[in-house]
Amino acid sequence: MPKVFKPSVKLTDNDVTDERIYRERRQIVKAMGFVGASSLLAKSATADWFWEDDDKKAAARRPLSFQEPGKYSTSETRTPFAKVSSYNNFYEFGTDKSDPAENAGQLQTSPWTLRVDGLVENPLKLDADDLTERFPLEERIYRLRCVEAWSMVIPWVGFELAALLRAAKPLSSAKYVAFETLYDPKQMPGQASRFMGGGIDYPYVEGLRLDEAMHPLTLMAVGLYGKTLPPQNGAPIRLVVPWKYGFKSIKSLVRIRLTDKRPPTTWNRLAPQEYGFYANVNPDVAHPRWSQASERRITTGGLFTRNRIETEMFNGYSEVAPLYQGMNLTKWY
Amino acid sequence: MNRLLSRPLRLPATPRRLTKAGIHLLATGYLVALFYWGATDNLGADPVKALLHSTGTWAINLLLISLSISPLAKWLPFPDLMRFRRLVGLYSFTYAMVHFFSFCAFELQFDWTLIASEIVERPYITVGFAALLILSLLAATSTTPIQRRMGPAWQRLHNWVYAAALLALLHYTWSLKTVWEEPVFYWLIAAGLLYLRRDKLLWVVRKKFKKNLAR
């Protein structure tokens, strides 16, 4: 038990020394607060030039040649490149959305090998150059809807996954496509530390039904805003499935495997009651912890921009509805 | 409890006032700065998320700081430290209020049906809201005259601050997609602060228990 505090009667002017020590203590506490606040200040104050200089700081991006956007593209206001490349969920580089832009810059994307194998007649091995040269590229401006109820409009450059799969010639027994991200804890700090990587079992894996994978909307993206992908966006090659929540669009792919069984998927494994295999954008099926009926569209503008919009079924890509005919999409979320 | 120094530290009125002014300046200045950066789109890609995150984590930081003041004041010993506790607690409440206001104004953009349904249906928002209600009650009864008038009831009411802290941490953990993130550290700190008060907390629990038995 602490003793009852009795004020000392011996305190005199000589106690000035004590007071000075005390004052220093306060200053240390204050300084600590100041350092805390100023580090936040610095982050925001530098945001302007940091965004302008993004290309200098980040890995060099090569311009790509590609066809102009066609019928699958939207004409909605695009999310600026600075935002698309600084707000990423890529837990291999940290769980904070600004972590990937800070930690992924040095990701080695050449040499690179993407294998396509499993139930195929013609297994493929694509090297770094093949990714941008083997298939004709086109620009696709897609909406991207994150499961966290925000969205962006992004001009990807890439080719249809169907073209790649056709080249590999799937066997008739193939029913699903399994995708796998690079596993390299030396380059990906989130894979090396459980805490930094959000406790996910790496490598990150995803999957699609074969008919979903063959749909013309399903894109293998190698570029963004006319140039090769920044590492934080999934360089050198990633999947983009615009009618599904963003976590299905797996980044930095090293392997695509055709299989006859439904493959495990990372977020479904981590929290099956929250993230299903299908993960189609669906305003009527809420995430257990938040509503999916609307979303905030990230473009330009600050706090006072009215950017909350209704979420559309299949993220507005109604042409995929026939894929799910007769399915209960509340059960198969 | 052991003490660090043989004689208690004292803080004369002038540095005390300066320290208080400094706390006011930092706490309000940071809020003003956040809104300025947010309004001018200089708060990262999603200024709304950034504002919610900063105000939320600082509400928790300040709450934990306010809870570490009394153990620190006893241990040093440095009784004058207690004079800053109410101020820090009130700023924790202010940040929590701004956090909730930002959620309504910028995240859900005053869609009142959505705001109401989110508070009721989403457990992580329900517990956050409960923590805010507790902090509101504590803030409303924080003045010295009210404290005097309430007598022993005041301490009973203000013991709810521990519940508020735990609810706020639950809210934080629950709002993230995975468990292994920053809140883990907050839980450790909170556990430490509660451990320092184990005698008092056990006493409160035992008293409640006896009362129930007597009925």
Side-chain angles (χ1 to χ4, degrees), chain A residues 3 15 22 26 40-41 48 83 87 148 195 198 275 287 289-291 296 301-303 306-308, chain B residues 3 7 11 30 37-38 41-42 45-46 49 78 81 105-107 109 122 124 174 176-178 180:
Chain A
K3 285 177 199 161
D15 287 294
Y22 158 72
R26 287 311 304 173
L40 282 157
L41 269 163
D48 262 331
K83 293 197 175 192
Y87 197 70
E148 297 163 1
F195 183 75
Y275 311 100
H287 184 281
R289 287 183 279 155
W290 54 83
S291 163
R296 275 189 316 99
L303 284 178
R306 303 284 85 178
N307 58 2
R308 183 158 282 277
Chain B
R3 289 174 181 181
R7 272 192 296 182
L11 186 60
Y30 182 52
W37 292 323
D41 200 13
N42 276 308
D46 188 355
K49 274 274 148 61
F78 185 11
L81 214 47
F106 307 123
E107 174 71 36
Q109 304 184 1
R122 313 289 167 207
Y124 90 94
W174 225 339
L176 299 171
K177 279 206 291 195
T178 65
W180 289 101

Side-chain angles (χ1 to χ4, degrees), chain B residues 144-157:
Chain B
T144 316
I146 294 181
Q147 182 178 4
R148 286 214 187 99
R149 210 173 316 146
M150 284 180 72
W154 189 89
Q155 189 55 54
R156 280 203 296 278
L157 176 65

Side-chain angles (χ1 to χ4, degrees), chain A residues 112-274:
Chain A
W112 192 272
T113 311
L114 169 61
R115 285 188 295 152
V116 185
D117 57 11
L119 300 173
V120 293
E121 215 180 297
N122 179 31
L124 298 172
K125 253 187 186 176
L126 277 73
D127 67 24
D129 292 337
D130 290 339
L131 301 179
T132 53
E133 287 164 15
R134 178 152 177 171
F135 302 93
L137 302 178
E138 60 174 301
E139 181 161 71
R140 292 275 179 100
I141 306 169
Y142 281 160
R143 293 178 287 275
L144 178 121
R145 170 62 156 79
C146 181
V147 73
E148 297 163 1
W150 53 266
S151 63
M152 293 183 174
V153 175
I154 305 176
W156 302 106
V157 178
F159 53 88
E160 289 176 14
L161 174 60
L164 175 61
L165 294 182
R166 271 195 288 269
K169 298 185 182 158
L171 299 174
S172 60
S173 52
K175 295 283 179 287
Y176 292 92
V177 186
F179 302 87
E180 194 178 308
T181 295
L182 175 70
Y183 181 74
D184 187 352
K186 282 203 189 86
Q187 292 201 75
M188 296 176 150
Q191 293 177 338
S193 142
R194 192 169 176 75
F195 183 75
M196 203 174 161
I200 286 175
D201 283 325
Y202 291 105
Y204 193 97
V205 288
E206 259 304 335
L208 293 174
R209 239 168 41 192
L210 185 57
D211 57 344
E212 297 176 320
M214 295 298 286
H215 195 279
L217 277 170
T218 306
L219 192 73
M220 296 297 290
V222 295
L224 168 69
Y225 269 100
K227 294 181 184 175
T228 49
L229 288 171
Q232 61 269 34
N233 291 86
I237 188 163
R238 67 172 291 172
L239 180 70
V240 178
V241 195
W243 71 91
K244 292 176 181 284
Y245 292 121
F247 66 85
K248 293 294 287 184
S249 295
I250 179 169
K251 299 181 176 88
S252 303
L253 285 169
V254 292
R255 192 171 181 204
I256 298 175
R257 193 170 45 86
L258 284 95
T259 155
D260 53 355
K261 287 180 203 69
R262 201 179 90 175
T265 57
T266 291
W267 280 102
N268 177 250
R269 231 168 17 189
L270 199 75
Q273 70 290 354
E274 297 190 340

